[in-house]
Amino acid sequence: MKKKVLTLLKEADGYLSGQDICEKLEVSRTAIWKVMKQLREEGYQIESASNRGYRLLEVPDRLTEAELGSRLENSLFGKNIIYKEEIDSTNIEIKRQAEAGALEGTLAVAEFQRQGKGRRGRAWSSPKGSGIWMSFLLRPQLRPENASSLTLVAALAVSRAIEKVAGLSAQIKWPNDLVIGGKKICGILTEMSSEMDFIHYAVVGIGINANIKEFPEELPYATSLFIEGGREYNRAELAAVVLKEFESCYQEFLAEESLERLLSDYNSRLVNRGSQVQVIKGDESLSGIARGVNAQGGLLVETESGIETILSGEVSVRGVYGYV
Amino acid sequence: MKKKVLTLLKEADGYLSGQDICEKLEVSRTAIWKVMKQLREEGYQIESASNRGYRLLEVPDRLTEAELGSRLENSLFGKNIIYKEEIDSTNIEIKRQAEAGALEGTLAVAEFQRQGKGRRGRAWSSPKGSGIWMSFLLRPQLRPENASSLTLVAALAVSRAIEKVAGLSAQIKWPNDLVIGGKKICGILTEMSSEMDFIHYAVVGIGINANIKEFPEELPYATSLFIEGGREYNRAELAAVVLKEFESCYQEFLAEESLERLLSDYNSRLVNRGSQVQVIKGDESLSGIARGVNAQGGLLVETESGIETILSGEVSVRGVYGYV
């Protein structure tokens, strides 16, 4: 209901009469009045003029269910949105939802994560109200060994969305980060619950350093869209575009259970492509030129003894510019 | 404490004086008296004679923490045993334990499962008090794609244990069942929570049709040790031997992150080895002679066009005798 009113307000060219809203949504004037009050409390500036109706003057930079939902009509991710001011971790929330039987597309967004998670249980810094911290639920009919490609699909979606919304070129640092000028702008954490040959569900968590003004000294290799672009971006708009891009890339991926159709775009956004990389696996390391990823998401590295395929997530890759 | 008293009673040759128990365990006579009362309530027949002490006459066929624990001293699985008369599913219980941070080796055993689980959400029949329904937690440092071998390790352990305890030959129906005379005697369900390159934890669930007297008509392809062997078996003994065998095979597997050291024993127990099999994957099927599994757990099938490796769990395999 709040989402629908918001959608109408956004679509309206100028004033929208209370009578119109009542008729379109088949609700009472009192119900409309209550929703307007709620929206104002959430930071929306809504003018009301007698005989003319309501007019939306300003949208707050928030990632509420209504704000995201109004941008995700007819999308996989618009049907079940969980918004929290504060949460332990959006990945953990989606796992809870999954275990309780939630449908594919269920989305969790929070303004602040107390236990934001990076890979292998590392912490992910998620300051309040300035980033995009979100996770969503997938139930793909994939073999578990193909699920790691979901991280690559998400990276491509984020890169495309940042380009569209902010006009910035965020490159993909295979497998699960995005960087601008060698500094981290986004991290992706894909988790999975599976049997041998069957995925119960996958959780894709995406953290984007959107409007963060500055980072502490301990994070010298992090940056934000604000720092790189010199202005604030509408987080709900960016989040919605990421999710729409993901949905589109996900369909392409599922159609062939391979990254084939996404490869050329993905590889054109790969930060290390054509440059010297060092692949570290346990105590061993391997040097060569990164040539791109293949349709299974493996990184192709040209070494003196030929092309080696590095399995997704099996290693950490260091570029020559020293960024880890 | 109960576990320790039980261990002493079992080790004793004849009577065990109350004074001895007090000294060995550094507890009071009253404490000992309470434990004896508890054990009797659980079905242990313990004789007590003045001036001589206590003597264990009969052990009930139960899978209690004390009964299993007394058989699993110094074992990976003896440290944290959860015993329930009734549970939703032991796999679900171990997942809950894992999410709460439980250690590797945590074991859940139940006399009855309300929602016993087979593969892909299918139901697993687990009647009360006559089977072995247990699951345990592993936290192996493996790549997720190697985790499916854990099912094969468990199958080998169960086959060895049934041979040792019941003297029956339970053959392995790759990847996750054991059969006697073509009928199912045991099913294994391995589940996993992982990231791209990192296993958070794996849960191995083992269901053994131990002392089940008869099966309903809907389960024509199921059998039990009771039916095959013509007598009842001590379930705690069998469960403990399965767990000890698993621990030993698991160490062999982890040492090389491969089934190499276990292959010849595993393949000697493979029901389909040397016979015609039909491998079904979605709409396609492939016929050939099963030749055994390789060190990665794949099934080698010799077809007219050469040897095909079937990825663990990717397919269902039907033998010519029609058992699914």
Side-chain angles (χ1 to χ4, degrees):
Chain A
M1 161 74 171
K2 192 155 67 178
K3 187 174 76 176
K4 285 179 181 163
V5 171
L6 197 53
T7 305
L8 288 178
L9 282 171
K10 285 180 178 176
E11 285 170 356
D13 186 21
Y15 286 95
L16 183 68
S17 82
Q19 190 58 34
D20 272 4
I21 307 178
C22 290
E23 282 165 16
K24 279 181 183 159
L25 304 183
E26 294 179 351
V27 293
S28 69
R29 298 290 293 230
T30 317
I32 301 295
W33 181 83
K34 277 185 186 163
V35 169
M36 294 298 172
K37 185 162 174 282
Q38 284 170 12
L39 286 171
R40 283 179 177 130
E41 282 166 6
E42 287 177 13
Y44 292 87
Q45 286 191 33
I46 299 165
E47 189 192 335
S48 56
S50 43
N51 298 325
R52 300 171 87 180
Y54 299 100
R55 191 164 63 129
L56 184 60
L57 298 177
E58 202 175 309
V59 172
D61 182 31
R62 297 202 44 196
L63 295 165
T64 57
E65 184 191 344
E67 187 56 35
L68 274 173
S70 71
R71 295 170 190 271
L72 288 167
E73 291 275 1
N74 305 317
S75 151
L76 174 62
F77 302 107
K79 287 173 288 190
N80 188 18
I81 302 173
I82 296 146
Y83 169 77
K84 304 267 187 191
E85 283 285 334
E86 185 179 325
I87 204 167
D88 42 4
S89 136
T90 54
N91 264 39
I92 293 175
E93 173 64 22
I94 290 296
K95 283 196 216 177
R96 282 188 292 253
Q97 295 287 330
E99 296 288 346
L103 294 178
E104 175 160 274
T106 297
L107 176 70
V109 189
E111 296 290 352
F112 174 65
Q113 298 185 105
R114 289 188 300 276
Q115 304 169 42
K117 293 200 302 177
R119 288 170 77 190
R120 296 180 172 241
R122 289 189 280 254
W124 174 271
S125 165
S126 29
K128 183 159 184 165
S130 53
I132 296 173
W133 324 124
M134 65 181 179
S135 303
F136 48 83
L137 175 61
L138 301 176
R139 295 189 181 275
Q141 294 196 0
L142 289 176
R143 297 209 310 269
E145 57 269 33
N146 291 340
S148 59
S149 291
L150 295 172
T151 300
L152 280 71
V153 171
L156 176 57
V158 173
S159 178
R160 285 184 180 179
I162 288 176
E163 190 179 316
K164 280 193 180 173
V165 174
L168 294 169
S169 166
Q171 291 186 291
I172 299 167
K173 182 167 171 295
W174 180 93
N176 66 313
D177 288 333
L178 283 97
V179 295
I180 296 183
K183 291 184 169 185
K184 193 186 289 199
I185 194 85
C186 169
I188 295 160
L189 175 64
T190 300
E191 298 184 88
M192 178 170 71
S193 166
S194 62
E195 293 174 25
M196 290 173 77
D197 60 342
F198 181 70
I199 297 181
H200 293 302
Y201 60 84
V203 179
V204 177
I206 296 176
I208 303 176
N209 299 333
N211 295 328
I212 298 172
K213 302 292 184 297
E214 57 181 348
F215 289 92
E217 277 180 26
E218 311 89 79
L219 296 172
Y221 296 117
T223 189
S224 70
L225 295 179
F226 177 86
I227 293 168
E228 299 298 326
R231 67 176 181 90
E232 293 202 348
Y233 296 91
N234 184 302
R235 292 181 300 144
E237 182 189 0
L238 179 57
V241 175
V242 167
L243 293 166
K244 285 178 191 167
E245 289 290 337
F246 182 89
E247 187 174 358
S248 143
C249 295
Y250 181 52
Q251 299 302 345
E252 299 281 329
F253 167 65
L254 288 183
E256 308 202 6
E257 210 169 304
S258 123
L259 298 168
E260 194 61 50
R261 300 187 190 173
L262 305 169
L263 269 191
S264 74
D265 191 20
Y266 184 96
N267 281 327
S268 75
R269 296 169 189 271
L270 197 60
V271 67
N272 286 319
R273 197 184 192 195
S275 37
Q276 185 79 25
V277 293
Q278 196 187 5
V279 172
I280 297 159
K281 180 188 172 187
D283 294 338
E284 294 166 48
S285 88
L286 172 156
S287 288
I289 310 287
R291 291 299 180 200
V293 301
N294 66 14
Q296 286 69 50
L299 184 67
L300 304 170
V301 177
E302 188 178 339
T303 68
E304 287 175 5
S305 52
I307 298 273
E308 298 262 355
T309 305
I310 313 300
L311 283 187
S312 189
E314 189 182 331
V315 293
S316 57
V317 179
R318 292 165 197 251
V320 285
Y321 49 84
Y323 165 72
V324 184
Chain B
M1 162 74 167
K2 193 156 63 176
K3 185 173 78 177
K4 285 179 183 163
V5 171
L6 196 52
T7 304
L8 289 178
L9 282 171
K10 285 181 178 177
E11 286 170 355
D13 188 18
Y15 288 94
L16 183 69
S17 82
Q19 190 59 37
D20 273 6
I21 307 179
C22 291
E23 280 166 16
K24 279 184 182 157
L25 304 182
E26 294 179 352
V27 292
S28 70
R29 296 290 290 229
T30 317
I32 300 296
W33 182 83
K34 277 186 186 163
V35 168
M36 294 299 172
K37 185 160 173 283
Q38 284 170 14
L39 286 171
R40 283 177 177 134
E41 282 166 4
E42 288 178 11
Y44 292 87
Q45 287 191 34
I46 300 165
E47 187 194 337
S48 56
S50 44
N51 297 326
R52 303 173 86 182
Y54 298 98
R55 189 163 66 125
L56 184 59
L57 299 177
E58 200 176 311
V59 172
D61 181 31
R62 296 200 49 194
L63 296 165
T64 56
E65 183 190 345
E67 187 56 35
L68 273 172
S70 71
R71 295 171 190 269
L72 289 166
E73 292 275 1
N74 305 317
S75 151
L76 174 61
F77 301 107
K79 287 175 288 192
N80 187 17
I81 300 174
I82 296 146
Y83 168 77
K84 304 267 186 190
E85 284 285 337
E86 185 181 324
I87 205 167
D88 42 3
S89 134
T90 54
N91 264 39
I92 294 176
E93 173 64 24
I94 290 297
K95 283 196 215 177
R96 282 188 291 254
Q97 295 286 331
E99 295 290 345
L103 293 180
E104 174 159 275
T106 297
L107 175 70
V109 189
E111 295 289 353
F112 173 65
Q113 299 185 102
R114 288 188 302 275
Q115 303 167 42
K117 294 200 301 175
R119 289 171 76 191
R120 295 180 172 242
R122 287 190 282 255
W124 175 270
S125 165
S126 29
K128 183 158 185 166
S130 53
I132 296 173
W133 324 124
M134 66 181 179
S135 303
F136 48 82
L137 176 62
L138 301 175
R139 295 190 181 274
Q141 293 195 1
L142 289 175
R143 298 209 310 269
E145 57 269 32
N146 291 340
S148 59
S149 291
L150 295 173
T151 300
L152 280 71
V153 171
L156 177 57
V158 174
S159 178
R160 286 185 180 178
I162 288 177
E163 189 179 317
K164 281 193 180 172
V165 174
L168 295 169
S169 165
Q171 291 187 287
I172 299 168
K173 184 167 170 295
W174 179 92
N176 67 312
D177 290 332
L178 283 97
V179 294
I180 297 184
K183 292 184 170 184
K184 194 185 287 199
I185 194 85
C186 168
I188 294 160
L189 175 64
T190 301
E191 299 185 88
M192 176 171 73
S193 166
S194 62
E195 294 174 23
M196 291 173 76
D197 60 342
F198 181 70
I199 296 180
H200 293 302
Y201 60 84
V203 179
V204 177
I206 296 176
I208 302 176
N209 298 333
N211 294 330
I212 298 173
K213 301 293 183 295
E214 56 181 348
F215 289 91
E217 277 180 26
E218 312 88 79
L219 297 172
Y221 296 116
T223 190
S224 70
L225 296 179
F226 176 85
I227 292 169
E228 300 298 326
R231 68 175 181 91
E232 293 204 347
Y233 296 91
N234 183 302
R235 293 181 300 144
E237 181 189 1
L238 180 56
V241 176
V242 167
L243 293 165
K244 284 178 191 166
E245 289 290 338
F246 182 90
E247 185 173 0
S248 144
C249 295
Y250 181 52
Q251 299 302 341
E252 299 281 331
F253 167 65
L254 289 182
E256 308 202 5
E257 210 169 305
S258 121
L259 299 167
E260 195 61 49
R261 299 185 191 174
L262 305 169
L263 269 192
S264 72
D265 192 19
Y266 183 95
N267 281 328
S268 75
R269 295 169 190 271
L270 197 59
V271 67
N272 287 318
R273 197 184 193 195
S275 36
Q276 186 79 24
V277 294
Q278 195 187 5
V279 172
I280 296 160
K281 182 189 172 188
D283 296 336
E284 294 164 49
S285 90
L286 173 155
S287 288
I289 310 288
R291 290 300 180 201
V293 303
N294 66 14
Q296 285 69 51
L299 183 68
L300 305 170
V301 177
E302 188 178 341
T303 68
E304 287 177 3
S305 52
I307 298 272
E308 299 262 354
T309 305
I310 313 299
L311 283 186
S312 189
E314 188 182 329
V315 291
S316 57
V317 179
R318 292 166 196 249
V320 284
Y321 48 85
Y323 166 71
V324 184

